[in-house]
Amino acid sequence: MAQTFNVVGWFEIPVTDMPRAIRFYESMLGYTLHYQPMGEEEMAWFPWSDEGAGAPGSLVKSEKHYTPSTEGTLVYFSSPSGDLANELAKVEQAGGKVLQDKTLIAEDIGFMALFLDTEGNRIALHSRG
């Protein structure tokens, strides 16, 4: 049977300061996030397409259930510009820290890099070029 969906259906990145986290990701990736209060939680959704590849996701603030961390699951953002060096150049200006510069994974897979966001999460970037 052919796979008709991506295995990951949604991701959430924990934050402690939602306005700061929104500014960081909008500044670094160039997207506008959609802020949405959800009862005791706050969310800011990254833009997504139902027909596009990859999984949609959000930033989430919840003192009961989420703690930013450099350990555990690693989320990879696709480079909006096609060359993650462009986004990496914005990380420190936006208040984050580059942990690993643009690194070749393999010719047929592309490049990756790691950064620390303003909330203390280790996040990755991926590009083909």
Side-chain angles (χ1 to χ4, degrees):
M1 178 191 268
Q3 186 72 19
T4 59
F5 60 91
N6 290 309
V7 176
V8 175
W10 184 263
F11 68 86
E12 295 179 344
I13 298 173
V15 306
T16 55
D17 183 326
M18 185 61 78
R20 177 180 64 197
I22 290 171
R23 279 191 309 274
F24 175 80
Y25 283 98
E26 286 183 343
S27 177
M28 192 202 53
L29 296 174
Y31 297 127
T32 299
L33 279 68
H34 174 76
Y35 176 74
Q36 183 67 47
M38 306 283 287
E40 293 182 14
E41 296 182 352
E42 296 176 55
M43 299 183 87
W45 302 327
F46 291 94
W48 77 80
S49 165
D50 289 334
E51 294 80 35
S58 69
L59 303 176
V60 64
K61 179 181 179 186
S62 172
E63 294 179 12
K64 292 182 183 178
H65 304 291
Y66 295 86
T67 304
S69 174
T70 59
E71 306 298 323
T73 303
L74 183 60
V75 174
Y76 277 75
F77 283 96
S78 296
S79 168
S81 69
D83 181 355
L84 59 86
N86 294 321
E87 289 76 37
L88 278 179
K90 299 174 186 174
V91 168
E92 292 187 7
Q93 295 170 356
K97 180 181 179 185
V98 175
L99 299 175
Q100 180 178 335
D101 286 320
K102 181 177 176 178
T103 304
L104 179 65
I105 302 168
E107 291 296 329
D108 58 336
I109 297 173
F111 297 86
M112 61 85 60
L114 296 172
F115 65 90
L116 192 67
D117 72 6
T118 55
E119 307 307 296
N121 295 299
R122 179 181 53 116
I123 306 289
L125 288 166
H126 175 261
S127 70
R128 296 286 179 183

